[in-house]
Amino acid sequence: MQRNPRLTPGDVATTGVRRREVFGTAGRQIQIHTNHFEISGLPDVPWYQYDVPFYLGIARRLYQVRIRVPDDIEFLAFEPNLPPERRKDAIYAVQLLAFSDARGAYDGRSNFYTKKNVGSIVNYHNVFNQDVKPVTVTFTSVAEVWFRHLQEFMKPGAILADAGFNASATASMVLTAMARASPLARANVVANSRSVYLKTGERNSSFDIGGGLELLIGYFQSARPTFRTFSMNVDVSPGIMYQPGPLLGFILNNCKRELSGDIGRLANPSTQLITKINRLIKGIHINGAQRRKNGVVIPARVVGLDSRSARVYRFIDKAGNELTVEEYLSKRYNLKLQFPGIAVVDVGRKGAWPLELCEIRGNQLIDQKLQLTPDQMKNVHKFAKINPNHRLIKIREAVQSAGVLNYQGADYLVNNGVTIELETTTSLARILPAPDIHYGNNGMRSDQARNGAWRMDGRGYIRPMPVDGWALITFDVNFNPQKHGHPFVKTLYEVMRAAGMNAKPCAFLQGGNATGNIQSQLDQLGSRIMQSGSKVTLLLCVLKHPMPEVQREIKRFGDCVRGVATQIVLGEKAADSRGLNQYCLDTSHPPPGYGSEPSHAALVASVDSDFSYYMAQSRVQPRRREVVSKDDVAEMVERAILNYQKYHKQFKMPLEPPARLIMYRDGVSEGQFHEVLQEELAGIRAGLGKCCVPNCKITFIVVGKRHHVRMFPKDQNADKNGNCLPGTVLDQHITSPWFQDFYLLSHAGLLGTSRPAHYSLLHDDNSLSPDALQQMTYHLCHMYTRATRSVSIPCVVYYAHLVAARLPFHYRNDEDMHGYQDKPFETYQAEYVPHRMPLMMYWM
């Protein structure tokens, strides 16, 4: 057991920049509300964390406590993949008899927290009756935490080492689990690891988003260490659930293009169809109509679709007879299948079940990996967008006595000495001044961004890039090259010239076929261009609607084959006479399933003194790996420095080595801070050393967007939608007690409640003041070249997103990326083709 009854000075380390009680002063001070509630009372006794896996049968470890569950509790044979509500039943049954004097809190997965010390390893063996297999719940001790002693180290000036940080993380998990315990005891509550969702059946409590899915509004809770104490972060959180019903109907509903309602097409399905169906159904908990024992339905979890049919799939039954699934069902249950020739569902140890007998269980949240369709996402946004005032009201109502969270009346909190205040935390914040926006044309002009936006009409660029030549090919049958293409390219040419760009007229207009060989058509256009002696640096491609397969071919051709910038255009918008502001689509994200295997790392670096021009490096990584290896970081940094030097030589600029390197790192959780800092900071230093700039000072900042902190304006400091104004920065009260961090809302909210970005300073050789770091970050949020408004994170982070999303297109093999799923990582590396535009922002 990891024990931390008292933390010592040896627990203090240097992960992160030590928190100083020095805050930013720039900007206008205001008061804001946050969705944090102070935890003013903490337990006086130690709490223990136990890992609680579930096993079928009797676990032979140390000793066993035999517990017979009362007859009035429905309890089923258990296994690791049992649905969440059954796990909750198991823990509830154990608590009734073993923890009645010290009820603990279960997180719904594999952690149980209690103030009762039951030992290192204990097996609770549940014996129900002779017809159901026994189930063993094993309690394995993981950690012990003392809240009062930990609180002493939550004052500014101390940074906890691994032991202390783990203790604070365990304390946060204990408090979160306690706050969730009372709502989870209600029968009509569905939950995942952090949020609870109330199914009331009332109107507007849920919303059908199509495809057999429905959306619920729930509440997220997470205890966090803040200045001198803990606070509970509470937020409104949408959740998506499967609607109960036939699994076969769910597949038909979501594969309309592939199946067209014809169930017969599920006989001998193609590999591509199986891949799509597996993305939809893998992990879903189902009931099988044939799987009944004493009137109780035995659930299973879908492993995937097996292309064999019930008429072909054979297995050995308990009597040693070899049977097909169809024969077994007929013999054992007297069931005659309606569709014995279609694929069956693989349910692991429980064999294979016919699709027509599988029912999706209710009260089941979707797997986070499930990709929603554009129409489903549109419905989610329509239902889930909540304006700030309404959001704050719902949060406050939830914690009151009549709310689903009910902090004052929650027995798990009250009985364990935990007090959570019912008023939201009020914090001191500031509104940073917006930067000046400079324009070219007729001398330098400047204007200030207002409410996070500015205008470009009639104004030019300071350093416009030339467009030596460009071409257009249309894959939209309704977009005629002569009727629509000529007016479009003429208008676009005039706009480029008005912006100060040295552009030549469009060199080629060509029609194409979206259902034909895209690579061949683009090659033919390239040959025409080469034969004419023209130079083309921009290729516009017109599509009727977003077509992922066509977009992938276009981007791969431009990025890796020809080295030419490509822009996707919607034909309907390009043909519209109302102007050019409507036509750009250029979706950089791959279609569902692309890019998930393997992972991709991208480094984007500025090469000019204005932080306006960037170049990109990329690497293929093993799947799900977030931390980039030291060697890969070193290579990318070295290449970035060399590109910096090439750019300065090309434009005859002073060639001075960079004296400071500011790294914004995205996608890192707090638990990975130490690993990222050790691996990637070392890689940066190694790369700088290779380029003979070892004295370059490094600042390393982590950017976080996946959090639930919200800021609500007080008094009149709000925009027209009720959000805080762009530039609102918060660097105290709810920030970390150990390292420098701040929240910055840099953009104007268009829909719902705006989410600020969270910035954590992990390393700083440059000794930046809070004002310098916050204002630099805010200014970089105005440098995103795709928009004439500030964005939610610095432009360099956005660019890295675009590059990483583009990388799944950079493979030689033309087949769907899912064809690579079973291949070794080395195959991905061999198939990967780097882009051919090192000195261009090709991803834009």
Side-chain angles (χ1 to χ4, degrees):
M1 178 184 293
Q2 176 188 330
R3 299 180 181 274
N4 292 295
R6 292 187 183 277
L7 299 177
T8 68
D11 292 319
V12 178
T14 56
T15 301
V17 175
R18 188 181 298 269
R19 163 65 71 186
R20 305 184 298 265
E21 285 199 86
V22 177
F23 307 106
T25 59
R28 177 167 57 90
Q29 287 191 353
I30 61 170
Q31 292 281 335
I32 62 170
H33 296 290
T34 67
N35 57 340
H36 276 242
F37 298 83
E38 182 182 347
I39 302 177
S40 55
L42 291 169
D44 289 318
V45 298
W47 273 68
Y48 305 91
Q49 177 188 3
Y50 293 93
D51 182 47
V52 285
F54 303 88
Y55 301 95
L56 287 173
I58 300 174
R60 299 181 179 180
R61 296 185 185 178
L62 296 184
Y63 63 96
Q64 298 174 350
V65 179
R66 296 177 64 85
I67 300 173
R68 184 175 295 278
V69 178
D71 294 336
D72 59 344
I73 297 178
E74 179 189 357
F75 204 84
L76 301 179
F78 217 76
E79 61 176 308
N81 290 330
L82 208 63
E85 69 269 18
R86 299 305 184 188
R87 301 178 209 164
K88 185 173 68 173
D89 290 342
I91 293 296
Y92 178 64
V94 172
Q95 289 217 67
L96 283 178
L97 295 160
F99 292 90
S100 58
D101 57 336
R103 282 203 302 164
Y106 175 54
D107 72 350
R109 291 188 173 181
S110 61
N111 292 296
F112 183 78
Y113 308 95
T114 176
K115 57 188 177 184
K116 182 177 181 178
N117 186 354
V118 298
S120 297
I121 301 178
V122 179
N123 296 315
Y124 294 99
H125 176 213
N126 299 278
V127 182
F128 306 113
N129 54 57
Q130 295 179 351
D131 297 324
V132 180
K133 290 182 179 180
V135 174
T136 297
V137 183
T138 300
F139 278 62
T140 304
S141 180
V142 176
E144 174 186 351
V145 61
W146 290 69
F147 289 90
R148 294 300 181 186
H149 295 149
L150 179 62
Q151 199 171 16
E152 296 174 6
F153 282 81
M154 295 177 63
K155 299 176 182 178
I159 300 177
L160 297 184
D162 289 345
F165 188 84
N166 290 341
S168 70
T170 302
S172 297
M173 291 189 291
V174 171
L175 293 169
T176 301
M178 278 197 271
R180 285 164 47 86
S182 291
L184 285 177
R186 301 172 63 165
N188 58 345
V189 165
V190 183
N192 57 22
S193 60
R194 287 292 178 88
S195 300
V196 295
Y197 305 92
L198 186 63
K199 288 203 69 175
T200 63
E202 299 176 359
R203 186 180 179 184
N204 298 327
S205 66
S206 63
F207 182 74
D208 186 347
I209 64 171
L213 303 176
E214 63 177 339
L215 185 140
L216 299 172
I217 294 297
Y219 295 94
F220 166 91
Q221 297 178 96
S222 178
R224 293 187 56 81
T226 55
F227 265 35
R228 298 180 176 84
T229 186
F230 287 87
S231 67
M232 189 67 70
N233 180 203
V234 181
D235 192 24
V236 175
S237 174
I240 302 173
M241 288 178 42
Y242 297 103
Q243 293 175 334
L247 181 64
L248 179 57
F250 179 77
I251 293 173
L252 293 173
N253 199 2
N254 286 278
C255 298
K256 294 179 180 178
R257 183 166 61 92
E258 294 83 359
L259 300 176
S260 301
D262 183 3
I263 296 177
R265 294 188 182 183
L266 288 170
N268 298 316
S270 65
T271 301
Q272 187 175 10
L273 178 58
I274 291 177
T275 298
K276 177 170 183 179
I277 293 176
N278 283 343
R279 289 205 309 268
L280 291 169
I281 68 174
K282 185 176 180 179
I284 294 181
H285 294 282
I286 59 174
N287 293 329
Q290 82 285 6
R291 303 287 294 181
R292 293 180 179 273
K293 189 173 288 187
N294 295 338
V296 177
V297 176
I298 304 297
R301 191 180 190 193
V302 174
V303 174
L305 194 70
D306 193 305
S307 61
R308 291 171 291 180
S309 68
R311 187 167 287 164
V312 173
Y313 190 104
R314 308 183 74 84
F315 68 101
I316 307 297
D317 67 5
K318 292 181 179 180
N321 301 314
E322 185 179 37
L323 301 168
T324 66
V325 172
E326 182 183 22
E327 291 169 345
Y328 174 79
L329 292 172
S330 177
K331 178 180 177 181
R332 175 72 185 272
Y333 298 100
N334 196 28
L335 278 173
K336 183 178 181 180
L337 296 177
Q338 185 177 358
F339 307 106
I342 66 173
V344 295
V345 176
D346 180 3
V347 289
R349 290 177 301 170
K350 296 181 180 179
W353 294 2
L355 266 172
E356 62 188 271
L357 299 183
C358 298
E359 294 281 329
I360 298 176
R361 293 174 62 88
N363 296 338
Q364 184 179 172
L365 294 164
I366 69 168
D367 191 315
Q368 292 182 351
K369 298 176 186 176
L370 182 66
Q371 296 281 349
L372 300 182
T373 66
D375 287 340
Q376 288 172 332
M377 287 301 302
K378 183 178 179 181
N379 288 331
V380 169
H381 292 151
K382 180 180 179 181
F383 184 76
K385 63 180 182 182
I386 304 174
N387 68 54
N389 292 333
H390 188 204
R391 192 185 205 99
L392 186 57
I393 290 172
K394 289 182 73 68
I395 290 171
R396 285 171 168 167
E397 288 177 347
V399 305
Q400 301 296 325
S401 59
V404 63
L405 304 182
N406 183 17
Y407 284 157
Q408 281 192 335
D411 54 351
Y412 280 87
L413 296 174
V414 175
N415 296 338
N416 291 300
V418 178
T419 304
I420 303 178
E421 300 298 323
L422 299 183
E423 288 298 324
T424 54
T425 300
T426 300
S427 301
L428 185 67
R430 291 169 289 114
I431 301 177
L432 299 177
D436 290 333
I437 308 298
H438 297 279
Y439 306 93
N441 285 11
N442 303 321
M444 292 285 289
R445 297 169 55 190
S446 64
D447 195 5
Q448 192 173 54
R450 292 178 174 82
N451 294 322
W454 60 94
R455 300 182 66 86
M456 273 295 297
D457 48 328
R459 303 170 185 182
Y461 302 113
I462 294 176
R463 289 199 305 271
M465 299 298 290
V467 180
D468 296 327
W470 51 298
L472 181 146
I473 182 171
T474 173
F475 297 101
D476 180 0
V477 294
N478 297 326
F479 188 89
N480 184 278
Q482 302 302 321
K483 181 180 178 181
H484 304 110
H486 276 295
F488 171 72
V489 298
K490 179 182 178 182
T491 305
L492 181 57
Y493 170 72
E494 293 171 352
V495 169
M496 288 191 288
R497 298 289 293 183
M501 299 174 66
N502 183 16
K504 296 179 180 179
C506 181
F508 292 90
L509 280 172
Q510 179 173 310
N513 180 8
T515 60
N517 189 314
I518 304 300
Q519 174 75 45
S520 175
Q521 296 175 69
L522 294 175
D523 280 335
Q524 291 174 10
L525 176 60
S527 298
R528 282 187 58 201
I529 293 172
M530 292 182 65
Q531 291 173 5
S532 69
S534 301
K535 180 181 179 181
V536 170
T537 58
L538 174 64
L539 176 63
L540 302 180
C541 301
V542 182
L543 301 182
K544 185 176 182 179
H545 53 78
M547 305 173 71
E549 291 298 325
V550 176
Q551 290 174 234
R552 178 170 66 92
E553 290 296 325
I554 291 171
K555 293 303 179 184
R556 192 176 69 85
F557 174 85
D559 296 353
C560 304
V561 178
R562 292 286 182 173
V564 60
T566 54
Q567 174 72 54
I568 307 296
V569 179
L570 284 182
E572 182 182 1
K573 300 297 183 182
D576 197 315
S577 61
R578 289 180 292 175
L580 290 173
N581 292 333
Q582 306 174 48
Y583 74 81
C584 289
L585 168 70
D586 210 3
T587 304
S588 294
H589 295 285
Y594 279 70
S596 60
E597 296 191 26
S599 297
H600 299 99
L603 183 144
V604 176
S606 65
V607 293
D608 64 345
S609 58
D610 297 322
F611 305 137
S612 61
Y613 202 81
Y614 294 81
M615 295 178 187
Q617 308 299 319
S618 56
R619 292 293 183 276
V620 181
Q621 294 212 130
R623 68 171 187 168
R624 300 187 182 279
R625 177 172 175 174
E626 178 57 45
V627 180
V628 186
S629 71
K630 174 185 173 181
D631 292 342
D632 280 346
V633 173
E635 289 179 8
M636 289 193 287
V637 169
E638 180 185 12
R639 178 55 56 185
I641 297 295
L642 294 176
N643 284 340
Y644 168 88
Q645 294 170 345
K646 288 181 181 179
Y647 179 85
H648 280 245
K649 288 179 181 179
Q650 179 177 337
F651 291 96
K652 298 179 174 57
M653 302 171 69
L655 188 57
E656 297 180 0
R660 298 179 179 86
L661 188 152
I662 313 295
M663 170 69 81
Y664 285 92
R665 179 63 162 90
D666 182 42
V668 178
S669 66
E670 289 184 4
Q672 297 172 310
F673 280 2
H674 183 69
E675 183 183 3
V676 166
L677 201 58
Q678 278 197 323
E679 190 78 9
E680 298 182 6
L681 183 60
I684 294 172
R685 285 173 172 157
L688 292 172
K690 291 180 180 180
C691 297
C692 301
V693 283
N695 297 323
C696 180
K697 295 181 177 180
I698 303 168
T699 296
F700 197 103
I701 309 154
V702 169
V703 185
K705 285 287 287 182
R706 295 181 180 179
H707 62 79
H708 284 265
V709 173
R710 300 293 185 271
M711 303 189 296
F712 302 92
K714 196 176 180 182
D715 304 324
Q716 302 300 316
N717 297 298
D719 64 12
K720 61 181 181 180
N721 295 319
N723 283 298
C724 288
L725 294 171
T728 301
V729 63
L730 173 63
D731 59 2
Q732 50 187 299
H733 295 124
I734 66 168
T735 50
S736 170
W738 301 308
F739 51 81
Q740 296 282 355
D741 67 331
F742 62 93
Y743 294 89
L744 172 63
L745 183 66
S746 56
H747 63 293
L750 301 178
L751 292 173
T753 307
S754 298
R755 172 165 44 192
H758 183 211
Y759 299 88
S760 301
L761 182 62
L762 300 192
H763 183 85
D764 187 21
D765 292 332
N766 294 292
S767 301
L768 296 176
S769 68
D771 282 336
L773 178 58
Q774 292 165 15
Q775 288 188 302
M776 175 183 67
T777 301
Y778 185 41
H779 285 198
L780 285 172
C781 294
H782 291 74
M783 302 290 288
Y784 185 57
T785 57
R786 281 191 175 188
T788 56
R789 52 192 320 120
S790 58
V791 291
S792 60
I793 51 180
C795 62
V796 64
V797 182
Y798 256 120
Y799 294 156
H801 284 180
L802 296 178
V803 174
R806 189 79 149 250
L807 297 184
F809 302 149
H810 294 182
Y811 288 87
R812 291 189 184 90
N813 204 316
D814 288 340
E815 65 179 310
D816 189 295
M817 281 291 291
H818 291 293
Y820 293 137
Q821 283 188 352
D822 296 328
K823 296 181 181 180
F825 174 66
E826 290 74 18
T827 302
Y828 291 96
Q829 291 180 307
E831 293 285 346
Y832 179 71
V833 182
H835 67 84
R836 298 183 57 187
M837 296 176 284
L839 300 183
M840 289 183 61
M841 295 173 64
Y842 69 93
W843 59 89
M844 298 304 296

